[in-house]
Amino acid sequence: MGYTVLIPQDIVGEGKKYLTDRGYTIKMGSGISARQIAEDVKDCDAILARTCPYPTEVIEAGNKLKVIGRHGVGCDNIDIKTATKRGIRITYAPESNANSVAEYTIGMIIAMARHFIGSDRATRSGDWEYRNRVRGFDLANKTLGLVGAGRVGSMVAKKAFFGLDMKIVAYDPYIKEIKGVPEVKIVSDPETVFQESDFVSLHVPLTPETRGMFGKKYFELMKPEAFLINAARGEIVNETDLYEALKSKRIAAAALDVYDPEPPKGDNPLFTLDNVILTPHNAALTLEAMTRMALHAAQGIDDVLSGRVPKWPFNKLTAK
């Protein structure tokens, strides 16, 4: 076939095997900076892209570049405009990690409701009376609010409703109902979600409209005993405002898997708080999801280079 696929960040073996079994040559990258990727891509027909940046200089350096297969869902690290202008197809893997992120979200809801982190620290330090000072609560009949009810948000709704007997309220301008869960209350604005919920979970993409969207205005609407979960994109939350809300106990706690920037700086003030659970953007990094992401990205590359319409196109190319 004669096509070469650049992989700047390593992926699981199943994805690489899918490509080599179909005759592709794999070129492992020499680094993950834009400069290094721009140098590596010059003789490549495709990139299997994970989380490092793919700005204009990378896209323009790919003289033979025909497709970028995104290993995951968010494509905000790729210069989509330049790629589209140059006729480069972007594919992604929207069905690969939704269940994994949804399970993470449910896990964080339970962890915060039952004070797992504090209980662990107290037990290790010999503070047995923690059990009498700090009480968790049942989740049945509590309200989970979702901002964004696409693949991930809808799965969270199903797991919370059927598995935990929670009430669900959701805002998503693109949906009228969540299939399979007609009991979900769909509202017309995100403010209602923040006002009514015991837990608010964010599941929106990073766009110019959502960048920095969730800050003081929304946190002041929340119940003081409410919790926030963000496993979407760090840039959608104003971290300074969130820090102030958590420090002042305006809201009870938060669970964060994403940050602005990433990786977070060591002096991030959120690190000083004991009412926030922090994880290193690994909500989607289960063994199963990593395999699906690698395979789906490889399949997208193969679709394009084989002349087929990709199953999961991200950008729309203008016919020439």
Side-chain angles (χ1 to χ4, degrees):
M1 192 171 291
Y3 289 130
T4 300
V5 179
L6 173 65
I7 304 180
Q9 294 167 287
D10 204 4
I11 63 172
V12 298
E14 289 89 339
K16 290 181 284 190
K17 185 176 186 299
Y18 184 93
L19 293 170
T20 56
D21 283 352
R22 286 157 180 78
Y24 296 101
T25 298
I26 290 176
K27 178 179 180 179
M28 298 305 297
S30 61
I32 61 172
S33 69
R35 180 186 59 79
Q36 290 169 312
I37 298 171
E39 183 63 31
D40 291 337
V41 78
K42 290 179 179 178
D43 61 345
C44 296
D45 303 279
I47 301 174
L48 199 155
R50 288 185 61 185
T51 57
C52 49
Y54 296 88
T56 302
E57 65 181 283
V58 171
I59 307 300
E60 292 183 342
N63 297 319
K64 298 170 59 180
L65 190 60
K66 302 169 185 65
V67 55
I68 299 175
R70 177 68 170 90
H71 181 282
V73 177
C75 292
D76 43 277
N77 60 324
I78 301 171
D79 184 347
I80 302 295
K81 183 177 180 179
T82 299
T84 303
K85 183 178 179 180
R86 292 174 64 89
I88 299 167
R89 174 70 82 179
I90 310 296
T91 71
Y92 70 138
E95 298 177 12
S96 61
N97 63 11
N99 183 70
S100 304
V101 177
E103 288 184 357
Y104 170 96
T105 302
I106 295 297
M108 286 301 173
I109 291 171
I110 296 172
M112 288 190 290
R114 300 303 299 271
H115 303 287
F116 282 170
I117 303 300
S119 295
D120 175 84
R121 291 170 179 162
T123 305
R124 291 173 187 271
S125 68
D127 181 9
W128 195 250
E129 283 305 304
Y130 181 91
R131 65 194 291 270
N132 293 315
R133 293 196 315 274
V134 181
R135 296 291 171 83
F137 54 86
D138 291 350
L139 292 169
N141 294 315
K142 297 299 190 298
T143 299
L144 169 62
L146 302 171
V147 182
R151 288 182 175 88
V152 177
S154 61
M155 282 192 176
V156 173
K158 292 173 184 176
K159 294 175 189 297
F161 180 79
F162 291 111
L164 299 173
D165 287 329
M166 297 185 77
K167 300 174 183 177
I168 314 295
V169 57
Y171 166 76
D172 191 314
Y174 302 103
I175 70 159
K176 295 182 179 180
E177 65 175 0
I178 294 179
K179 292 181 179 179
V181 198
E183 296 85 354
V184 172
K185 177 182 176 182
I186 304 295
V187 297
S188 60
D189 57 83
E191 287 83 357
T192 301
V193 173
F194 279 81
Q195 287 173 326
E196 296 187 359
S197 303
D198 300 298
F199 294 84
V200 175
S201 191
L202 306 177
H203 300 286
V204 299
L206 176 62
T207 67
E209 293 73 28
T210 62
R211 183 180 292 275
M213 176 178 177
F214 303 104
K216 182 179 180 180
K217 166 189 170 181
Y218 287 100
F219 303 145
E220 289 185 343
L221 295 174
M222 295 174 71
K223 302 173 185 179
E225 66 273 18
F227 302 81
L228 179 76
I229 303 154
N230 184 19
R233 283 292 184 269
E235 294 92 336
I236 67 176
V237 170
N238 182 314
E239 286 190 355
T240 300
D241 289 353
L242 177 59
Y243 168 78
E244 293 298 332
L246 289 166
K247 182 182 178 183
S248 66
K249 302 299 175 67
R250 178 63 193 79
I251 64 175
L256 306 176
D257 188 51
V258 288
Y259 310 88
D260 180 20
E262 288 192 2
K265 296 179 180 179
D267 60 355
N268 188 319
L270 289 167
F271 290 6
T272 67
L273 303 176
D274 60 7
N275 58 340
V276 57
I277 302 176
L278 307 171
T279 55
H281 200 158
N282 65 351
L285 302 188
T286 65
L287 295 172
E288 295 83 357
M290 290 295 285
T291 298
R292 288 190 296 266
M293 285 190 282
L295 283 173
H296 293 184
Q299 288 167 5
I301 289 171
D302 182 50
D303 281 344
V304 173
L305 294 182
S306 297
R308 297 187 297 271
V309 175
K311 184 176 181 180
W312 300 290
F314 188 85
N315 62 343
K316 183 177 182 180
L317 301 183
T318 302
K320 296 182 179 179

